[in-house]
Amino acid sequence: MQLIESQSGLRRARSLRGAIVIGLVLALVGAAVGTATGAVTPFQLVVVKNTAAEPIPVVGTVNVGNTPANQSVTVSNFPASQPVTMAAVAPEQVATFVSTATYSPAAGDVSIVSFGKTVNVTTLIVNNGISDNFDVNLTMPSGPPLLLVSDAEDHFVQDFSMPVPATGATIRCTNYLDECKVVVTVIGY
């Protein structure tokens, strides 16, 4: 019985060795065939180069987020020279109209400031030294007046980013009892 067991163990060892040899031969043949045909096998080595001379191309839209807000984002892949496009800019207009006058409307009354022509108003200043309350409107060449401020107290300055065409202004005293005393300066062209 011992002899039979040792022969079957010997047979099992030979069978195991044969299976390993056959598996190894098949793996090598598969690797050789895969390499010869260009197919990807687990035995091939992949190398990715990303040098300045050989960049990896990216196709599509890339969204860049800056979360949280305190991160800095640096973009440095610009060409050495950048084209510059100049936008046409209108020449700056020099103020050719400046008018300063003192007005004293009674409480609830209106003083009319006439420019004598249509002026492109760039700045309107109302100086007041006695804490009066007042409304300021610009009189437009056509259409309703443009309210600049309602029930202002003391001083008021309005700078226009775009000049406003106007033919005059009105100052309405909103005091309950006393008259207003204001100095109005209009600047424009």
Side-chain angles (χ1 to χ4, degrees):
M1 204 144 192
Q2 259 184 354
L3 184 57
I4 293 174
E5 283 182 36
S6 64
Q7 281 182 346
S8 81
L10 187 59
R11 263 189 241 156
R12 269 190 250 142
R14 283 185 190 157
S15 296
L16 185 60
R17 260 187 273 163
I20 291 173
V21 169
I22 290 173
L24 187 59
V25 168
L26 286 174
L28 291 174
V29 168
V33 169
T35 305
T37 62
V40 177
T41 67
F43 300 106
Q44 289 179 321
L45 183 61
V46 176
V47 178
V48 177
K49 292 196 232 176
N50 189 17
T51 65
E54 301 170 302
I56 297 173
V58 177
V59 178
T61 302
V62 178
N63 293 323
V64 178
N66 190 18
T67 306
N70 61 355
Q71 292 185 46
S72 62
V73 175
T74 303
V75 178
S76 60
N77 61 344
F78 294 117
S81 62
Q82 295 289 316
V84 176
T85 304
M86 296 298 288
V89 178
E92 197 169 309
Q93 196 70 33
V94 177
T96 56
F97 180 86
V98 178
S99 172
T100 300
T102 302
Y103 298 92
S104 300
D109 282 350
V110 174
S111 284
I112 298 172
V113 180
S114 178
F115 302 157
K117 63 179 183 174
T118 299
V119 174
N120 291 311
V121 179
T122 57
T123 304
L124 186 132
I125 304 166
V126 179
N127 285 317
N128 177 347
I130 54 174
S131 299
D132 288 323
N133 292 57
F134 51 87
D135 297 342
V136 179
N137 289 287
L138 275 182
T139 307
M140 310 309 285
S142 63
L146 174 65
L147 176 66
L148 300 180
V149 67
S150 178
D151 205 25
E153 185 174 356
D154 295 330
H155 305 291
F156 171 75
V157 176
Q158 176 68 57
D159 288 315
F160 296 97
S161 58
M162 296 293 297
V164 176
T167 57
T170 58
I171 309 296
R172 180 175 170 267
C173 181
T174 58
N175 287 345
Y176 290 111
L177 299 174
D178 299 329
E179 70 176 12
C180 292
K181 186 166 185 174
V182 295
V183 178
V184 178
T185 303
V186 177
I187 301 171
Y189 57 91

